[in-house]
Amino acid sequence: MKVLKFGGSSVANAERIKLVKNSIESNARDHKQIVVVSALGGVTDLLLKAAEQAAERNEAYTQIIEEIEKRHLDTARELLPVSSQSKALSAIKRELNTLETLLEGAFLIGETTPKLLDRILGYGELLSSYIIGEYFVSAGMDAIHKDSRSLIKTDESYGKAAVDFTTTNHLCETYFGTVTYRTIVLPGFIASSAHGNSTTLGRGGSDYTAAIIAGAVHASVLEIWTDVSGMYTANPKLVKQAFAIPDISYEEAMELSHFGAKVLYPPTIQPVLLRGIPIHIRNTFAPEEKGTFIRKNTNGSSRPVRGISHIENIALLSLEGSGMVGISGISKRFFEVLSLHNINVALITQASSEHSICIGIAEKDMEKAGKAINEAFEYEIATKKLNPVVVESELAIIALVGDNMKSHQGLSGKMFSALGQNNVNIRAIAQGASERNISAVIHKSDVKKALNTLHERFFEDHVKQLNIFVMGVGNVGEKFLNQIDRQKKYLKEKLKLNVRVVALSNSRKMYFEDNGIELKNWKECLDNGETASKERFFEKVKELNLRNSIFVDNTASDIVAATYADYLKNSIAVVTCNKIACSSDFEHYSLLKDLSRKYNAPFLFETNVGAGLPIIDTLKNLVASGDKVNKIQAVLSGSLNFVFNNFDSNSAFHDVVKQAQKEGYTEPDPKIDLSGIDVMRKILILARESGYQLEISDIENESFLPQESLDTVTVDDFYKSLVTSKSHFEKIYTDAASEGCRLKYVAQFENGKAKVGLQHIPKDHPFYNLEGKDNIVLFFTERYSEQPLLVKGAGAGADVTASGIFADIIRAGNM
Ligand code: ADP
Ligand code: ASP
Ligand code: MG
């Protein structure tokens, strides 16, 4: 004999009930089967709401009755042939009339008792099972409907009654032993007391009904048919990458369901475990899927963690005080009080100093519990041996579960470091003595991020999802997005990084897509986005609270640079090609570095110097490995190098500058390059990264521009001044050429001092042959004292800058 249970979403409407029939019809030929059904999806909630409204004397409850009536009548009309409709419809109406009378009673006296509530809530299952039973019969099945209240006997703890297994097993054995129908349809959730009063088994209790019957009749299997394909590694509604666990032990399943895996009502396991009956969780909407087997001997899994679950709406209650040490019986009294008030404890932690007890309870119980404990320890609190109870709310418990966890070391270390890296604050920790479970209490707003972080850490073969928020989609930004789009597959397969661009913004618009933007259409998405705002952008990034978040600044804006601290403080990495932050005052630069360390958020700006060339990274490695930088000599301006490589006696200086701008090698305002400011910023950053405390004002800059050009305000006027100063520039060229030298704009750092300026470079110097827009850096260090360490290559251009940002993102992802 098989027992099958169909949940609320599986029987939500006529169409779905037809699927249920498909699933069981073939079975009926080979097995006698017991089919336990829930209320039509959502009906129990509606009944509860109607009862609450009636008790508040709110007449709106009558509308809910109408809605319930319509749903059941519509379902019955769609399922039943006209010939058998009238009998069924009048039976349904009769039941609904009784329900209405009960609710009217609650309305008149302005209250519902737990006893009355159980009667009211039971109508969901009574009606659904009746309709489904009639449907099976009318479809020619050898079926009958039976009321579970005549089989399952409980005490009178309304709301969640305790089963009298001796009587129940006896009644079930007798009934199912004699009934000859091949399919017996029963309502889940409801039972009755010895006095004949209707009771319920607790919300979600239809699973339990099915398990009780399966146990009583020694079923070969208990099938739980629901809306997902099994028990998943984490709640699939919150973790997209979660997958169905093929095989799991009773104990693991029990632990997962106790810690919130709603797919199975926790008490369900007990009756079948005792008899070794396997549970098979299956999907009504995808019956071909394998589902999950819960049984004694599971096929071993190589993973120590079998699943992750969580419970929301938790409060932490702690009792502390010096009076606790050494006084025996405090814990006993503490837990007795809780039990007396029917308060369920979800998690316990006690410091080994015995200085405090801390428990996790449902938020709805927190006031009652706080009051009860304070009253029970009134004397100790008055005499200052104990402090009054402290209660914290808006929390959640998240738990790792697995039978094999005990034989693996370092799991809790992994768990807490993964959470810590993502700024998930842990308020309390507990580990079951069986070592089958490690749980942590966290803030409820971190649940989704924490579940995904842990899932990634323990189940996704180390594929790490990076969530990227991009500000600035100009030249560099566009190239960057194209590169990500092209490399996405490679990154995932080879580097195990799943890079998703979640947000884009330019100065006018911004666009967010929680599941990652389809990069082929990014322009369209952005055009349809909302009005841009740096503040709103930051707030949204924070609200989304995604793991491994990276903010990318592709702008040259000082306002954007001023927001980095906010991101870092929220453990969001910052990757930027914008030099402003790192070349601002030293105090701000070091603040950002400190925040990056403190909040475990990478702050990377490789492209601040030499675009995509690995200059800063090389420097960092030198310093980190204990080398000391004595001198840096460099040509760091791709734009100035381009200008002086192309400027000669046959060309006019202003034309060459124009060409450099046209080809994208200069800043939007070319004066920033030509005045040397850009190079000053770069050498400043290199000096700082070498460990020196320097300000931009400490850098010597002898400009080659005439005063007239330096004094201009607009880009237009700047170009005009270059035209009028033509002979000034010609002289600069001929002076160098007459010495057989080339002109290079050189940045130098030595003995703690930095300077920038145009120099005559002779033929034998490594800078002489520097082509096009190339950059070169020579590091003279203690280790590289004779021959400097040299980095050389293209140092400007959108494509190489974009690839430098890309490289920083991969660095951030691997940190
Ligand atoms: P039914 O109405 O069939 O009893 P439930 O809504 O009670 O279904 O349980 C199924 C739901 O449980 C799923 O839709 C899913 O949202 C939720 N759930 C939570 N944790 C898990 C998990 N670990 N595996 C599968 N489902 C889970
Ligand atoms: N209908 C009940 C509830 O919603 C029982 C169940 O569906 O398992 O809680
Ligand atoms: Mg359920």
Coordinates of all heavy atoms in Angstrom, one line a residue, residues 49-113:
K49 N -8.0 34.3 8.1 CA -8.3 35.7 8.0 C -9.7 36.0 8.3 O -10.0 37.0 9.1 CB -7.9 36.2 6.6 CG -7.7 37.7 6.5 CD -6.9 38.0 5.2 CE -7.4 39.3 4.7 NZ -7.2 39.4 3.2
A50 N -10.6 35.2 7.8 CA -12.0 35.4 8.0 C -12.3 35.3 9.5 O -13.1 36.1 10.1 CB -12.9 34.4 7.3
A51 N -11.7 34.3 10.2 CA -12.0 34.1 11.6 C -11.5 35.4 12.4 O -12.1 35.8 13.3 CB -11.3 32.9 12.1
E52 N -10.3 35.9 12.0 CA -9.7 37.0 12.7 C -10.6 38.2 12.6 O -10.9 39.0 13.5 CB -8.3 37.3 12.2 CG -7.3 36.5 12.8 CD -5.9 36.5 12.0 OE1 -5.8 37.3 11.1 OE2 -5.0 35.8 12.4
Q53 N -11.1 38.4 11.3 CA -12.0 39.6 11.1 C -13.3 39.4 11.8 O -13.8 40.4 12.4 CB -12.2 39.7 9.6 CG -11.0 40.2 8.8 CD -11.2 40.5 7.4 OE1 -12.3 40.0 6.8 NE2 -10.3 41.2 6.7
A54 N -13.8 38.2 11.8 CA -15.1 38.1 12.5 C -14.9 38.4 14.0 O -15.7 39.1 14.6 CB -15.6 36.6 12.3
A55 N -13.8 37.9 14.6 CA -13.6 38.1 16.0 C -13.3 39.6 16.3 O -13.6 40.1 17.4 CB -12.3 37.3 16.4
E56 N -12.9 40.3 15.3 CA -12.7 41.8 15.5 C -14.0 42.5 15.1 O -14.0 43.8 15.0 CB -11.6 42.3 14.5 CG -10.2 41.9 15.0 CD -9.2 42.1 13.9 OE1 -9.6 42.6 12.8 OE2 -8.1 41.7 14.1
R57 N -15.1 41.8 14.9 CA -16.4 42.4 14.4 C -16.3 43.2 13.2 O -16.9 44.2 13.0 CB -17.0 43.2 15.6 CG -17.3 42.4 16.8 CD -17.8 43.3 17.9 NE -18.4 42.4 18.9 CZ -19.7 42.2 18.9 NH1 -20.5 42.7 18.0 NH2 -20.3 41.4 19.8
N58 N -15.5 42.7 12.3 CA -15.3 43.3 11.0 C -16.1 42.5 10.0 O -15.8 41.4 9.7 CB -13.8 43.3 10.7 CG -13.5 43.9 9.3 OD1 -14.4 44.2 8.5 ND2 -12.2 44.1 9.0
E59 N -17.1 43.2 9.4 CA -18.0 42.4 8.5 C -17.4 42.0 7.2 O -18.0 41.2 6.4 CB -19.2 43.3 8.2 CG -20.2 43.3 9.4 CD -21.5 44.1 9.1 OE1 -21.7 44.4 7.9 OE2 -22.2 44.3 10.0
A60 N -16.2 42.5 6.9 CA -15.5 42.1 5.7 C -15.3 40.5 5.6 O -15.1 40.0 4.6 CB -14.1 42.8 5.6
Y61 N -15.5 39.9 6.8 CA -15.3 38.4 6.8 C -16.3 37.7 5.8 O -16.0 36.7 5.2 CB -15.4 37.8 8.2 CG -16.8 37.6 8.7 CD1 -17.4 36.3 8.5 CD2 -17.5 38.6 9.4 CE1 -18.7 36.1 8.9 CE2 -18.7 38.4 9.8 CZ -19.4 37.1 9.6 OH -20.6 36.9 10.0
T62 N -17.4 38.4 5.6 CA -18.4 37.7 4.7 C -18.0 37.7 3.3 O -18.3 36.7 2.6 CB -19.8 38.5 4.8 OG1 -19.5 39.8 4.5 CG2 -20.4 38.4 6.2
Q63 N -17.2 38.7 2.9 CA -16.6 38.7 1.6 C -15.7 37.5 1.4 O -15.6 36.9 0.3 CB -15.9 40.0 1.2 CG -16.8 41.1 1.1 CD -16.1 42.5 1.2 OE1 -14.9 42.6 1.2 NE2 -16.9 43.5 1.5
I64 N -14.9 37.2 2.5 CA -14.0 36.1 2.4 C -14.8 34.8 2.2 O -14.4 33.9 1.4 CB -13.1 36.0 3.6 CG1 -12.3 37.3 3.7 CG2 -12.1 34.8 3.5 CD1 -11.3 37.4 4.9
I65 N -15.9 34.7 2.9 CA -16.7 33.4 2.8 C -17.1 33.3 1.3 O -17.1 32.2 0.7 CB -17.9 33.5 3.7 CG1 -17.5 33.6 5.1 CG2 -18.8 32.2 3.5 CD1 -18.6 33.5 6.1
E66 N -17.6 34.5 0.8 CA -18.0 34.4 -0.6 C -16.9 33.9 -1.6 O -17.1 33.1 -2.5 CB -18.5 35.8 -1.1 CG -19.9 36.1 -0.7 CD -20.3 37.5 -0.9 OE1 -19.7 38.2 -1.8 OE2 -21.1 38.0 -0.1
E67 N -15.7 34.5 -1.3 CA -14.6 34.1 -2.1 C -14.3 32.6 -2.0 O -14.1 31.9 -3.0 CB -13.3 34.9 -1.7 CG -12.1 34.7 -2.6 CD -10.9 35.4 -2.1 OE1 -11.0 36.4 -1.2 OE2 -9.8 35.0 -2.4
I68 N -14.3 32.1 -0.8 CA -14.1 30.6 -0.5 C -15.2 29.8 -1.2 O -14.9 28.8 -1.9 CB -14.1 30.3 1.0 CG1 -12.9 31.0 1.6 CG2 -14.1 28.8 1.3 CD1 -12.8 30.9 3.2
E69 N -16.4 30.3 -1.1 CA -17.5 29.6 -1.7 C -17.3 29.5 -3.3 O -17.4 28.4 -3.9 CB -18.8 30.3 -1.4 CG -20.0 29.6 -2.1 CD -21.4 30.1 -1.5 OE1 -21.4 30.6 -0.4 OE2 -22.3 30.1 -2.3
K70 N -17.0 30.6 -3.8 CA -16.8 30.7 -5.3 C -15.7 29.7 -5.8 O -15.9 29.0 -6.7 CB -16.5 32.1 -5.7 CG -16.4 32.3 -7.2 CD -16.4 33.7 -7.6 CE -16.4 33.9 -9.1 NZ -15.7 33.0 -9.9
R71 N -14.6 29.7 -5.0 CA -13.5 28.9 -5.5 C -13.9 27.4 -5.5 O -13.6 26.7 -6.4 CB -12.3 29.1 -4.5 CG -11.4 30.2 -5.1 CD -10.1 30.2 -4.3 NE -9.2 29.0 -4.7 CZ -8.1 28.8 -4.1 NH1 -7.6 29.7 -3.2 NH2 -7.3 27.8 -4.5
H72 N -14.6 27.0 -4.4 CA -15.0 25.6 -4.3 C -16.0 25.2 -5.3 O -16.0 24.1 -6.0 CB -15.4 25.2 -2.9 CG -14.2 25.2 -2.0 ND1 -13.8 26.3 -1.2 CD2 -13.3 24.2 -1.7 CE1 -12.8 26.0 -0.5 NE2 -12.4 24.7 -0.8
L73 N -17.0 26.1 -5.5 CA -18.1 25.7 -6.5 C -17.5 25.7 -7.9 O -17.8 24.8 -8.7 CB -19.2 26.7 -6.3 CG -20.0 26.7 -5.0 CD1 -21.1 27.7 -5.0 CD2 -20.6 25.3 -4.7
D74 N -16.7 26.7 -8.2 CA -16.1 26.7 -9.6 C -15.3 25.5 -9.8 O -15.4 24.8 -10.9 CB -15.1 27.9 -9.7 CG -15.9 29.2 -9.9 OD1 -17.2 29.1 -10.0 OD2 -15.3 30.3 -9.9
T75 N -14.5 25.1 -8.8 CA -13.6 23.9 -9.0 C -14.5 22.7 -9.2 O -14.2 21.8 -10.1 CB -12.7 23.7 -7.8 OG1 -12.1 24.9 -7.5 CG2 -11.7 22.6 -8.0
A76 N -15.6 22.5 -8.4 CA -16.4 21.3 -8.5 C -17.1 21.3 -9.9 O -17.2 20.3 -10.5 CB -17.5 21.4 -7.4
R77 N -17.6 22.5 -10.3 CA -18.3 22.6 -11.6 C -17.3 22.1 -12.8 O -17.7 21.5 -13.7 CB -18.8 24.0 -11.9 CG -20.0 24.3 -11.1 CD -20.7 25.6 -11.6 NE -21.7 26.0 -10.7 CZ -21.6 26.9 -9.8 NH1 -20.5 27.7 -9.8 NH2 -22.6 27.2 -9.0
E78 N -16.1 22.6 -12.7 CA -15.1 22.2 -13.7 C -14.8 20.8 -13.7 O -14.5 20.2 -14.8 CB -13.9 23.1 -13.6 CG -13.6 23.9 -14.8 CD -12.3 24.7 -14.6 OE1 -12.4 25.8 -14.0 OE2 -11.3 24.3 -15.1
L79 N -14.8 20.1 -12.5 CA -14.3 18.8 -12.5 C -15.4 17.7 -12.7 O -15.1 16.6 -13.2 CB -13.6 18.5 -11.1 CG -12.3 19.2 -10.9 CD1 -11.8 19.0 -9.4 CD2 -11.2 18.7 -11.8
L80 N -16.6 18.1 -12.3 CA -17.6 17.0 -12.2 C -18.5 17.1 -13.4 O -18.9 18.2 -13.9 CB -18.5 17.2 -11.0 CG -17.7 17.1 -9.7 CD1 -18.6 17.4 -8.5 CD2 -17.0 15.8 -9.5
P81 N -18.9 16.0 -14.0 CA -19.9 16.0 -15.1 C -21.3 16.5 -14.5 O -21.6 16.4 -13.3 CB -20.0 14.5 -15.5 CG -19.5 13.7 -14.3 CD -18.6 14.6 -13.5
V82 N -22.0 17.1 -15.4 CA -23.3 17.7 -15.0 C -24.1 16.8 -14.2 O -24.8 17.2 -13.2 CB -24.0 18.3 -16.3 CG1 -25.3 19.0 -15.9 CG2 -23.1 19.1 -17.1
S83 N -24.1 15.5 -14.6 CA -25.0 14.6 -13.9 C -24.7 14.4 -12.4 O -25.7 14.3 -11.7 CB -24.8 13.2 -14.6 OG -23.5 12.8 -14.6
S84 N -23.5 14.6 -12.0 CA -23.2 14.4 -10.6 C -23.0 15.7 -9.9 O -22.7 15.8 -8.7 CB -22.0 13.4 -10.4 OG -20.9 13.9 -11.1
Q85 N -23.2 16.8 -10.6 CA -22.9 18.1 -10.0 C -23.9 18.5 -8.9 O -23.5 19.0 -7.9 CB -22.9 19.2 -11.1 CG -21.6 19.5 -11.7 CD -21.6 20.6 -12.7 OE1 -22.5 21.5 -12.7 NE2 -20.6 20.7 -13.5
S86 N -25.2 18.3 -9.2 CA -26.2 19.0 -8.2 C -26.0 18.4 -6.8 O -26.0 19.1 -5.8 CB -27.6 18.8 -8.8 OG -27.9 17.5 -8.7
K87 N -25.8 17.1 -6.7 CA -25.6 16.5 -5.4 C -24.4 17.0 -4.7 O -24.4 17.5 -3.6 CB -25.5 14.9 -5.6 CG -25.2 14.2 -4.3 CD -24.8 12.7 -4.5 CE -23.6 12.4 -3.7 NZ -22.6 11.6 -4.3
A88 N -23.3 17.1 -5.5 CA -22.0 17.6 -4.9 C -22.2 19.1 -4.5 O -21.7 19.5 -3.4 CB -20.9 17.4 -5.9
L89 N -22.8 19.9 -5.4 CA -22.8 21.3 -5.1 C -23.7 21.6 -3.9 O -23.4 22.4 -3.0 CB -23.4 22.1 -6.3 CG -22.5 22.1 -7.6 CD1 -23.1 23.0 -8.7 CD2 -21.1 22.5 -7.3
S90 N -24.8 20.8 -3.7 CA -25.6 21.1 -2.5 C -24.8 20.6 -1.3 O -24.9 21.2 -0.2 CB -27.0 20.5 -2.6 OG -26.9 19.2 -3.0
A91 N -24.0 19.5 -1.4 CA -23.2 19.1 -0.2 C -22.2 20.2 0.2 O -22.0 20.5 1.4 CB -22.5 17.8 -0.5
I92 N -21.6 20.7 -0.8 CA -20.6 21.8 -0.6 C -21.3 23.0 0.1 O -20.8 23.6 1.1 CB -19.9 22.3 -1.9 CG1 -19.1 21.1 -2.5 CG2 -19.1 23.5 -1.7 CD1 -18.6 21.3 -3.9
K93 N -22.4 23.4 -0.4 CA -23.2 24.5 0.1 C -23.5 24.3 1.6 O -23.5 25.2 2.4 CB -24.4 24.8 -0.7 CG -24.0 25.6 -2.0 CD -25.2 26.1 -2.7 CE -24.8 26.8 -4.0 NZ -25.8 26.6 -5.1
R94 N -23.9 23.0 1.9 CA -24.3 22.7 3.2 C -23.1 22.9 4.2 O -23.3 23.5 5.2 CB -24.7 21.2 3.3 CG -26.2 21.0 3.4 CD -26.6 19.6 3.9 NE -25.8 18.5 3.4 CZ -26.0 17.9 2.2 NH1 -27.0 18.3 1.4 NH2 -25.2 16.9 1.9
E95 N -22.0 22.4 3.8 CA -20.8 22.6 4.6 C -20.5 24.1 4.8 O -20.1 24.6 5.9 CB -19.5 21.9 4.0 CG -19.6 20.4 3.9 CD -19.5 19.7 5.2 OE1 -19.5 20.4 6.3 OE2 -19.5 18.5 5.2
L96 N -20.6 24.8 3.7 CA -20.3 26.3 3.8 C -21.3 27.0 4.7 O -20.9 28.0 5.3 CB -20.3 26.9 2.3 CG -19.0 26.5 1.5 CD1 -19.2 26.8 0.0 CD2 -17.8 27.2 2.0
N97 N -22.5 26.5 4.7 CA -23.5 27.1 5.6 C -23.1 26.9 7.0 O -23.2 27.9 7.8 CB -24.9 26.5 5.4 CG -25.5 27.1 4.1 OD1 -25.1 28.1 3.7 ND2 -26.5 26.4 3.6
T98 N -22.6 25.7 7.4 CA -22.2 25.5 8.7 C -21.0 26.4 9.1 O -20.9 27.0 10.1 CB -21.8 24.0 8.9 OG1 -22.7 23.2 8.2 CG2 -21.7 23.6 10.4
L99 N -20.1 26.5 8.1 CA -18.9 27.4 8.3 C -19.4 28.8 8.6 O -18.9 29.5 9.5 CB -18.0 27.3 7.1 CG -16.9 28.4 7.0 CD1 -15.9 28.1 8.1 CD2 -16.2 28.4 5.7
E100 N -20.4 29.3 7.8 CA -20.9 30.6 8.0 C -21.5 30.8 9.4 O -21.2 31.8 10.0 CB -21.9 30.9 6.9 CG -22.1 32.4 6.6 CD -22.9 32.6 5.4 OE1 -23.1 31.7 4.6 OE2 -23.4 33.7 5.2
T101 N -22.2 29.8 9.8 CA -22.8 29.9 11.1 C -21.7 30.0 12.2 O -21.8 30.8 13.2 CB -23.7 28.6 11.4 OG1 -24.5 28.4 10.3 CG2 -24.5 28.8 12.6
L102 N -20.6 29.2 12.1 CA -19.6 29.3 13.1 C -18.9 30.7 13.1 O -18.7 31.3 14.1 CB -18.5 28.2 12.7 CG -18.9 26.8 12.8 CD1 -17.8 25.9 12.3 CD2 -19.3 26.4 14.3
L103 N -18.7 31.2 11.9 CA -18.1 32.6 11.8 C -19.0 33.6 12.4 O -18.6 34.6 13.0 CB -17.7 32.9 10.4 CG -16.4 32.1 9.9 CD1 -16.3 32.2 8.4 CD2 -15.2 32.6 10.6
E104 N -20.3 33.5 12.1 CA -21.3 34.4 12.6 C -21.2 34.4 14.2 O -21.2 35.5 14.8 CB -22.7 33.9 12.2 CG -23.4 34.9 11.4 CD -24.6 34.2 10.8 OE1 -25.4 33.6 11.5 OE2 -24.8 34.3 9.6
G105 N -21.1 33.2 14.7 CA -20.9 33.1 16.2 C -19.7 33.9 16.7 O -19.8 34.6 17.6
A106 N -18.6 33.7 16.0 CA -17.4 34.4 16.4 C -17.6 35.9 16.3 O -17.2 36.7 17.1 CB -16.2 34.0 15.5
F107 N -18.4 36.3 15.2 CA -18.6 37.8 15.0 C -19.5 38.3 16.2 O -19.3 39.4 16.7 CB -19.4 37.9 13.7 CG -19.7 39.4 13.4 CD1 -18.7 40.2 12.8 CD2 -21.0 39.9 13.6 CE1 -19.0 41.5 12.6 CE2 -21.3 41.2 13.3 CZ -20.3 42.0 12.8
L108 N -20.5 37.5 16.6 CA -21.5 38.0 17.6 C -20.8 38.1 19.0 O -21.0 39.1 19.7 CB -22.7 37.0 17.7 CG -23.6 37.1 16.5 CD1 -24.7 36.1 16.6 CD2 -24.2 38.5 16.4
I109 N -20.0 37.1 19.3 CA -19.4 37.2 20.6 C -18.0 38.0 20.6 O -17.4 38.3 21.6 CB -19.2 35.9 21.3 CG1 -18.4 34.9 20.4 CG2 -20.5 35.2 21.7 CD1 -17.9 33.7 21.1
G110 N -17.6 38.3 19.4 CA -16.3 39.1 19.2 C -15.1 38.4 19.7 O -14.1 38.9 20.2
E111 N -15.0 37.1 19.4 CA -13.8 36.3 19.8 C -13.9 34.9 19.1 O -14.9 34.4 18.8 CB -13.6 36.2 21.3 CG -13.9 34.9 21.9 CD -13.6 34.8 23.4 OE1 -12.5 35.2 23.8 OE2 -14.5 34.4 24.1
T112 N -12.7 34.3 18.9 CA -12.7 32.9 18.5 C -11.8 32.2 19.6 O -10.8 32.7 20.0 CB -12.0 32.7 17.2 OG1 -10.7 33.3 17.2 CG2 -12.8 33.1 16.0
T113 N -12.3 31.0 20.0 CA -11.5 30.2 20.9 C -10.6 29.3 20.0 O -11.0 29.1 18.9 CB -12.4 29.4 21.8 OG1 -13.2 28.5 20.9 CG2 -13.3 30.2 22.6

